[in-house]
Amino acid sequence: MDLSSFQGSPFSVRRDRLAKALGNQQALVAAGVASPRNYLANTYPFRANSHFLYLFGLPLRGAMGLWNGDRWLLFTPEPDAASALWHGPEPTLQDLAAALGCTVQPYTQLQEHIDSGVQTLPAADARTCAVQSRLLGRSIETGTIAEQDHPLADAMLALRLIHDEAAQAEMRTAVAASVAAHAAGMRATRPGRKESEV
């Protein structure tokens, strides 16, 4: 993962706005884990959960963001030097902290920072929900927001209902890509050609 072009400021502003809405109430936001195709080491391409991407902007497998009532902490698995051979070098925890503007610690230290009553939003996949359940000591299920998590859900929805400049720029980029793709498809289409030939 190359951090050289990463602009962390929009994400730190979003985290600050969410923190202000939460006050001293702790909140845990999960990035998610990679889904296996046919065995654990063979995974689908990873996409972090949307709320995590909205707040941190980086697709960090297995990471968890924690608002502890005072500051944001990011807990992520430490880079594995052996995996660099297969996947390229990964940023260090210090590199991530510098890019994101928040404290980054090894994932193994997360549990000691979890207090009772931490709010969370259920991840989109059952495996990550199982991790959230273990960490928080209560059942977290995909698609079900527990009553105690409603303040976090309401704060996140209020934050995301009004798009900031960074989100608007992403939408403009997506629109431009869609326009280009449709135009390319129209140029390739001719009478009598099959869809599979385009």
Side-chain angles (χ1 to χ4, degrees):
M1 178 184 305
D2 180 14
L3 297 178
S4 61
S5 62
F6 179 72
Q7 299 293 321
S9 58
F11 306 104
S12 62
V13 169
R14 292 170 183 173
R15 291 193 304 270
D16 289 346
R17 289 176 60 202
L18 182 60
K20 185 176 180 181
L22 293 173
N24 62 2
Q25 176 60 56
Q26 287 194 348
L28 184 71
V29 181
V33 294
S35 298
R37 296 182 192 215
N38 53 357
Y39 65 97
L40 288 178
N42 183 20
T43 59
Y44 289 102
F46 177 71
R47 183 192 185 278
N49 289 318
S50 294
H51 294 309
F52 183 89
L53 285 176
Y54 185 78
L55 295 172
F56 292 95
L58 295 173
L60 303 171
R61 294 179 190 199
M64 298 268 182
L66 176 69
W67 168 247
N68 70 0
D70 179 54
R71 63 190 173 123
W72 281 99
L73 304 168
L74 178 68
F75 296 87
T76 188
E78 294 189 76
D80 180 4
S83 71
L85 173 66
W86 305 105
H87 307 289
E90 297 177 16
T92 66
L93 301 186
Q94 294 79 14
D95 293 336
L96 290 172
L100 291 167
C102 69
T103 301
V104 179
Q105 295 180 279
Y107 178 83
T108 54
Q109 297 177 11
L110 172 58
Q111 187 69 68
E112 64 193 62
H113 292 268
I114 299 287
D115 292 335
S116 62
V118 175
Q119 296 179 44
T120 195
L121 297 173
D125 66 286
R127 290 180 64 219
T128 303
C129 283
V131 173
Q132 290 174 283
S133 298
R134 182 180 47 77
L135 286 168
L136 301 182
R138 60 188 173 92
S139 178
I140 308 295
E141 298 179 18
T142 299
T144 303
I145 299 175
E147 187 172 342
Q148 72 186 79
D149 298 324
H150 284 185
L152 172 59
D154 291 342
M156 185 67 81
L157 285 173
L159 183 63
R160 296 190 68 177
L161 275 176
I162 301 173
H163 295 299
D164 57 27
E165 289 182 19
Q168 291 176 33
E170 288 178 356
M171 286 188 286
R172 288 187 187 99
T173 299
V175 167
S178 296
V179 168
H182 280 84
M186 290 166 54
R187 284 191 302 274
T189 303
R190 300 283 181 271
R193 290 184 81 181
K194 295 179 182 175
E195 183 180 346
S196 61
E197 297 171 336
V198 174

